[in-house]
Amino acid sequence: MNSMNLLCALNAVEEQYLVQAERRPSPRRRVRVLWIAAAACLALLAGCVAVGVAAGWRLTSVEEDGEEKLRLSVETDAYPLGEEAQRELEARLSGEESWELPILRPEELEELLGIHLLTLPEASFESWGFSAFRDGRGGICVGGAWWQQPDQADPWVANITMVLDTEGGAIDLLELEAKAERFAVRESRYIEALGTDVEMYFLSSDVSVDPLSSDHLPETMRHNYVTCVFLFDQTAYLVNFSLFFGEEITAEEAFQTAASLLETMR
Amino acid sequence: MTDQDILARLWVREDGALDAITARYGNYLRSIAGNILGSSEDAEECLNDALFKAWNAIPPMRPENLRTYLGRIIRNLAINRLQASRAEKRGGEGVALLRELDDCIPGGVRPEAALEEKELASALNLFLSTLPEQKRSLFLRRYWFGDSMAQIAQRTGKSQAAAAMALSRLRRELKDFLKERGYER
């Protein structure tokens, strides 16, 4: 058998599949996705404000170069990168230590790096995420939260959580990326400090059943954690992506998706 | 003019029936052949050959779906022409399609596992039946209609990278599917 055999054999594909393939994506569906994405952005904004206020975020007015600007700050120093973790991270980034890390769970990452990976409590997740858009035919939840240390020399920590639930429960990568792109456009200002000269390192990934989704999503739903470290302006930034797919994906695929998302944000 | 009108004119051997086909489906048929062969001249020749075949086949044939019936004819003709032109290192998207589909063929040498094209077609249909419509259509846009990545991206509203990634996953799934059923290179 060779590829020509395959190409020829495809000619006998069932009629109905060809008819389906000739259909243009429904404009109604696109409009629906746009509405959902817009609603998700609004919910995200509300969620970020709620989470931010709870976490001690403050929006203050500052004067820079004669212009009055708003600055989002966090009145807490609860999340500095621990000295030991900083040394370990630097050693890895400088190549002194191998990057072949064991697969880590988020809590193990937190311990390693001495930081907290912000995750959304189930209550807030439910209230401004999934239930808000579940309409009996499945829905979408796009959630996330970020915070920034008052001093930008300190690490940023970001957690981006996306949950999509379609009618069949299966998640399509294309759908995910399309929605994530819209999501990222809205939120790009939070990430813009990453700039354009960013080195990206894959830190770890994990695939597991997500406890938050277990009540709502199909059993096959898997939670793929991808944690990446970015180097920019001699500062390490850590971003933890939590991606939900309808099926298990490899760490490499999860990483590529994360890279693609970050590329969009940049 | 509807498909039924065109079929009726073919059945009574009416002059102008082929012109009617060209007017209704010419661009569609040229695009299938053109995508595979990468040459508008070759595509035009394929179109003429396809019209000739349709003229000879109808009657007695009365296809339920004239569009896909003609599409299959011209795709077959284009693939035949592609086979002939491969030796001359020609061919448009078709060459890329062959290279990509090569990924789907499990390795190893098992001559006894070689199967007839008809059986392979059944296996492919079975594989396609397991896919959700969106993925199946994506696969067919690429490997049946020969759409380029740019065309697929435009059609689906996705990025080319996203489409390529999805197709890569589908090829891997097809490879595993064929391997399970004993298909070997």
Side-chain angles (χ1 to χ4, degrees):
Chain A
M1 185 175 70
N2 58 36
S3 49
M4 185 61 83
N5 297 138
L6 274 178
L7 205 57
C8 292
L10 267 175
N11 224 35
V13 70
E14 285 187 22
E15 188 100 356
Q16 56 170 328
Y17 298 159
L18 293 178
V19 173
Q20 286 172 352
E22 294 223 56
R23 283 191 210 129
R24 291 261 166 202
S26 157
R28 276 183 62 192
R29 185 170 169 276
R30 289 188 173 198
V31 168
R32 194 178 69 180
V33 168
L34 281 174
W35 273 111
I36 289 172
C41 285
L42 281 174
L44 178 66
L45 183 62
C48 283
V49 170
V51 171
V53 169
W57 289 9
R58 296 292 179 270
L59 199 60
T60 51
S61 175
V62 296
E63 196 170 309
E64 284 182 13
D65 302 327
E67 286 185 33
E68 191 171 302
K69 294 181 177 177
L70 290 176
R71 172 179 287 170
L72 184 67
S73 62
V74 181
E75 294 180 352
T76 174
D77 57 358
Y79 308 110
L81 197 63
E83 282 185 18
E84 188 179 339
Q86 177 78 56
R87 278 196 299 275
E88 192 167 349
L89 191 59
E90 285 172 354
R92 289 200 166 107
L93 294 175
S94 66
E96 292 171 16
E97 288 189 25
S98 168
W99 276 94
E100 292 177 7
L101 295 177
I103 298 298
L104 298 175
R105 300 189 61 80
E107 53 270 30
E108 293 170 321
L109 264 177
E110 289 180 350
E111 190 175 346
L112 171 72
L113 297 173
I115 59 170
H116 293 292
L117 301 175
L118 178 62
T119 53
L120 300 170
E122 188 165 10
S124 65
F125 182 90
E126 178 72 23
S127 61
W128 59 269
F130 194 84
S131 61
F133 307 106
R134 194 177 176 96
D135 59 3
R137 293 170 301 173
I140 169 179
C141 162
V142 181
W146 295 258
W147 76 90
Q148 175 188 359
Q149 298 293 342
D151 178 358
Q152 289 206 0
D154 288 335
W156 281 35
V157 178
N159 179 68
I160 299 174
T161 303
M162 279 166 280
V163 177
L164 298 106
D165 185 19
T166 57
E167 291 161 25
I171 303 301
D172 188 285
L173 268 177
L174 294 179
E175 292 268 345
L176 173 66
E177 187 157 333
K179 292 180 171 82
E181 278 174 7
R182 296 189 181 98
F183 170 78
V185 167
R186 164 64 182 80
E187 300 304 331
S188 60
R189 66 193 179 91
Y190 292 105
I191 314 288
E192 65 189 6
L194 288 176
T196 53
D197 300 315
V198 179
E199 289 179 67
M200 184 168 171
Y201 295 86
F202 180 37
L203 189 58
S204 77
S205 83
D206 189 22
V207 179
S208 64
V209 176
D210 178 68
L212 295 184
S213 64
S214 59
D215 289 337
H216 313 293
L217 301 179
E219 286 182 4
T220 54
M221 194 67 69
R222 293 293 183 271
H223 189 177
N224 296 271
Y225 298 99
V226 183
T227 303
C228 305
V229 170
F230 299 86
L231 275 186
F232 174 63
D233 198 20
Q234 296 185 321
T235 302
Y237 300 89
L238 186 141
V239 176
N240 179 51
F241 288 85
S242 304
L243 304 172
F244 290 76
F245 297 90
E247 54 188 304
E248 288 192 8
I249 60 171
T250 64
E252 183 188 354
E253 287 171 330
F255 176 59
Q256 284 173 350
T257 305
S260 172
L261 291 175
L262 259 289
E263 191 61 36
T264 307
M265 291 174 186
R266 284 160 57 185
Chain B
M1 181 172 291
T2 67
D3 285 359
Q4 291 309 316
D5 295 334
I6 293 174
L7 285 171
R9 294 176 74 172
L10 284 169
W11 269 72
V12 299
R13 320 308 287 164
E14 185 182 315
D15 289 343
L18 296 185
D19 288 339
I21 292 178
T22 307
R24 186 166 170 80
Y25 293 123
N27 289 341
Y28 162 73
L29 298 172
R30 281 189 200 96
S31 75
I32 292 177
N35 283 345
I36 291 173
L37 296 168
S39 155
S40 54
E41 291 86 2
D42 287 350
E44 198 63 36
E45 286 181 25
C46 275
L47 174 60
N48 291 332
D49 292 346
L51 293 174
F52 182 68
K53 272 183 172 285
W55 177 262
N56 286 333
I58 306 172
M61 281 284 293
R62 185 180 280 277
E64 284 186 15
N65 186 325
L66 182 60
R67 181 182 172 91
T68 53
Y69 175 75
L70 294 168
R72 286 185 209 271
I73 291 178
I74 202 163
R75 187 174 179 275
N76 251 336
L77 291 168
I79 289 173
N80 289 342
R81 194 173 280 252
L82 176 67
Q83 279 179 310
S85 66
R86 279 181 86 193
E88 302 169 34
K89 306 291 184 194
R90 293 163 61 205
E93 202 68 31
V95 173
L97 302 186
L98 289 173
R99 195 168 51 240
E100 290 174 23
L101 283 174
D102 216 37
D103 296 347
C104 306
I105 303 170
V109 181
R110 287 183 55 202
E112 74 279 8
L115 296 174
E116 297 291 334
E117 190 172 302
K118 196 174 173 185
E119 292 174 13
L120 181 57
S122 298
L124 284 172
N125 270 317
L126 184 60
F127 170 74
L128 290 170
S129 73
T130 66
L131 299 177
E133 181 181 334
Q134 192 186 17
K135 286 185 179 178
R136 183 167 56 233
S137 294
L138 178 71
F139 187 88
L140 291 175
R141 289 311 313 180
R142 179 65 177 156
Y143 299 114
W144 202 96
F145 294 92
D147 284 359
S148 67
M149 288 299 179
Q151 288 171 315
I152 290 173
Q154 187 182 24
R155 186 181 188 91
T156 59
K158 318 293 184 194
S159 70
Q160 289 191 43
M165 184 175 169
L167 281 167
S168 168
R169 288 166 57 84
L170 286 171
R171 288 199 301 273
R172 197 161 56 234
E173 286 176 30
L174 176 57
K175 180 178 181 179
D176 293 343
F177 183 89
L178 292 176
K179 192 173 183 180
E180 281 175 14
R181 282 154 184 79
Y183 287 82
E184 301 286 349
R185 192 180 294 275

